[in-house]
Amino acid sequence: MKKAMKALALGMFAVLGLGVYQQSAYASGKADSTNAASGGKSVRPLVKIICPYGVGGTADVIARKFAQVANELHPEYNFIVNQQTGGDGFAAATAFSQEAASEKDLLIFGYGVAYRHDLGKKYNTELVDFDRTKILPVATVDDRTWIMYAKKGTSLKEVLDRAKAGGIKMSGGNPLSDPHLALGSLIAQEGGTVKVVPYDGGAAQKLGLTNGEVDVFVGTTQAAQSDVEAGTLVPLLAFSDRPFTGFVGPNGPIDVPTVAGPSKASELNASKDYSGSILAAGGYIATHKGADPAWVAAVEKVARDVWASKEYSDFIASIMLNKYECYGADATAHLEEACQKAIKAFQTLSGK
């Protein structure tokens, strides 16, 4: 009777779409739940990867590729991606932080959301309804270099001159998002100003540039790769201190100047240090603070295996993102360091 009741309970949880895990399954990576309605066949526990951004954006593309490879490597789980958009990442973070630590949902947790959380708490820049310390980063899944794009025929000098003369408009997240912190802190050092025009998602942000509503778009390589290849957009500046290559335009390879390092743009003041505008970008796969350590270890193992796969690493390279792996306590420490740097960038941008 007890066995029958247990099978029925597990089947009910599976139908409701909740992940059901046995303690031994975490460490071994094998789940042994069964569904009575399926005739005793093994049921893969459902693990939702919550993506805070719309379909087709870089975060969504990364989440779906991660889920695909994770399912191939760990068929004992059923990873699916669920969109939960709103507030440029805040809606998902708020809902996720309010879940019980025992829930097995995972979150694509971006640096930018963490930056805005800390700025909101410290400077009251916006209302923050969640506590990011309840979100536990397990592993990096996305490391990107912000690129500033402009319409064909626009030069970096023209953008800088316009910023100093009367200010420029940019698309790329909301005010105080990491693209704004990156460009805004740099332009502030140049004596100029930047205004953010918010759009919902990378496609709309890029469209704002092509329609002439903004002067520049600060986004990922993936977001504008096809436009650069077609020659309709040009990458003017990479927020990096290492030479940035990989773009190919109609006339061949494009070397994008950077804000610091050996390939620093000649249009920037040679005597100034703009490295404070190089902010960590991308994000983590995260679970809940206080989650079962065995579950956290299982998620980390899945992430390590995904990164070790040629399919995932080659995909990351194909859209010119960076291969940067960071796990466990190192991932938490890296996020904290990144948030401190973002606060300094805000201070440069705002003069506070």
Side-chain angles (χ1 to χ4, degrees):
M1 177 64 71
K2 289 183 178 180
K3 289 183 178 180
M5 291 296 291
K6 180 180 179 182
L8 178 60
L10 292 178
M12 291 174 65
F13 273 106
V15 169
L16 291 171
L18 299 174
V20 181
Y21 299 88
Q22 298 270 336
Q23 177 70 24
S24 61
Y26 298 144
S28 67
K30 295 181 179 180
D32 60 358
S33 59
T34 58
N35 186 332
S38 66
K41 294 181 180 179
S42 177
V43 174
R44 296 190 300 160
L46 182 68
V47 183
K48 290 187 291 184
I49 300 177
I50 299 169
C51 179
Y53 305 100
V55 174
T58 302
D60 173 66
V61 169
I62 292 293
R64 292 183 186 280
K65 192 65 178 181
F66 182 93
Q68 174 200 330
V69 177
N71 281 325
E72 293 171 357
L73 298 176
H74 288 270
E76 64 272 17
Y77 302 120
N78 181 18
F79 294 97
I80 64 169
V81 176
N82 276 14
Q83 251 70 33
Q84 190 169 350
T85 60
D88 199 23
F90 266 36
T94 300
F96 190 82
S97 64
Q98 292 172 348
E99 287 185 352
S102 58
E103 291 289 338
K104 302 306 183 295
D105 294 343
L106 302 176
L107 175 70
I108 300 296
F109 187 45
Y111 290 98
V113 174
Y115 298 162
R116 287 170 50 221
H117 169 281
D118 288 12
L119 291 173
K121 294 290 189 181
K122 186 178 179 68
Y123 292 105
N124 296 314
T125 51
E126 62 183 305
L127 180 65
V128 179
D129 290 329
F130 70 97
D131 179 358
R132 75 169 176 87
T133 64
K134 293 183 178 181
I135 301 172
L136 180 66
V138 177
T140 50
V141 293
D142 169 13
D143 187 87
R144 58 185 70 171
T145 301
W146 290 123
I147 305 291
M148 183 174 75
Y149 302 94
K151 293 175 73 172
K152 179 182 178 181
T154 306
S155 69
L156 177 57
K157 183 178 185 305
E158 289 172 339
V159 172
L160 295 175
D161 288 345
R162 198 178 308 160
K164 288 182 277 190
I168 58 172
K169 294 179 181 179
M170 68 163 282
S171 60
N174 287 327
L176 302 186
S177 60
D178 36 334
H180 179 215
L181 291 173
L183 179 58
S185 59
L186 182 144
I187 294 298
Q189 288 200 73
E190 289 289 289
T193 58
V194 177
K195 178 181 178 181
V196 181
V197 179
Y199 296 89
D200 186 15
Q205 293 165 5
K206 186 175 62 175
L207 187 61
L209 172 59
T210 57
N211 287 345
E213 298 167 359
V214 298
D215 301 289
V216 294
F217 161 53
V218 181
T220 65
T221 48
Q222 181 265 343
Q225 188 174 8
S226 60
D227 302 89
V228 172
E229 291 174 353
T232 56
L233 295 183
V234 291
L236 295 182
L237 192 65
F239 289 84
S240 176
D241 56 3
R242 294 173 293 174
F244 190 87
T245 59
F247 278 120
V248 178
N251 299 319
I254 301 172
D255 292 332
V256 185
T258 59
V259 302
S263 53
K264 180 179 177 179
S266 59
E267 294 87 348
L268 295 174
N269 191 320
S271 64
K272 290 185 178 180
D273 179 10
Y274 301 94
S275 59
S277 296
I278 304 171
L279 303 178
Y284 300 81
I285 193 84
T287 186
H288 299 285
K289 185 71 175 291
D292 190 320
W295 170 239
V296 177
V299 175
E300 180 177 328
K301 168 132 183 31
V302 170
R304 287 182 181 274
D305 290 346
V306 168
W307 269 115
S309 71
K310 186 173 173 53
E311 182 174 3
Y312 191 76
S313 59
D314 283 357
F315 169 74
I316 292 296
S318 73
I319 56 176
M320 292 186 290
L321 299 185
N322 310 311
K323 184 177 182 180
Y324 178 71
E325 297 180 61
C326 196
Y327 304 95
D330 290 338
T332 299
H334 181 66
L335 177 59
E336 297 305 320
E337 292 172 6
C339 286
Q340 288 302 311
K341 191 172 183 180
I343 288 175
K344 291 181 180 178
F346 169 75
Q347 292 168 343
T348 299
L349 182 157
S350 64
K352 293 186 178 182

